[in-house]
Amino acid sequence: MIEYRLTTFDNPFDPFDDFTQWLLFDNEKGYNTCGYLARLLANLPDDLSEVEEEQEKEKAIDTIIANDFLNIYKKVERKSDEHVYAFD
């Protein structure tokens, strides 16, 4: 499964591996990226699978980037080692 995160071009920290430092930098700059993304995801149903949640998160990230007139955001991704199984 591929996971996505939203970050800013100027943040030197990895939101996957160094989240605490990433968050401190983000908040210090006044971006509040987590809050911004959370507002777009606030009304998601509780019964989504992990894969569906990741898909919705990616859509929200893409929406933020598409409307980013200051050009400060970028999407980063990484492939998760977790195996996600879907059964019909």
Side-chain angles (χ1 to χ4, degrees):
M1 178 171 76
I2 297 176
E3 297 176 283
Y4 299 95
R5 298 292 182 270
L6 181 66
T7 189
T8 55
F9 285 105
D10 63 340
N11 195 327
F13 301 102
D14 185 326
F16 291 103
D17 297 326
D18 199 3
F19 181 77
T20 300
Q21 292 294 358
W22 176 88
L23 183 62
L24 288 170
F25 180 92
D26 188 76
N27 288 339
E28 181 179 288
K29 295 290 184 173
Y31 297 130
N32 192 22
T33 301
C34 289
Y36 188 15
L37 185 58
R39 286 190 298 276
L40 292 179
L41 297 171
N43 294 319
L44 289 180
D46 292 334
D47 61 345
L48 293 180
S49 71
E50 189 176 342
V51 171
E52 290 170 323
E53 280 185 23
E54 249 344 281
Q55 290 169 341
E56 291 302 317
K57 187 184 305 178
E58 183 184 13
K59 286 180 198 175
I61 290 169
D62 291 342
T63 298
I64 289 171
I65 291 170
N67 294 294
D68 179 20
F69 65 91
L70 294 175
N71 196 33
I72 59 172
Y73 291 107
K74 68 178 179 177
K75 178 170 65 171
V76 292
E77 65 181 55
R78 101 171 155 186
K79 188 170 186 171
S80 173
D81 291 336
E82 283 186 33
H83 297 284
V84 177
Y85 299 99
F87 299 97
D88 292 324

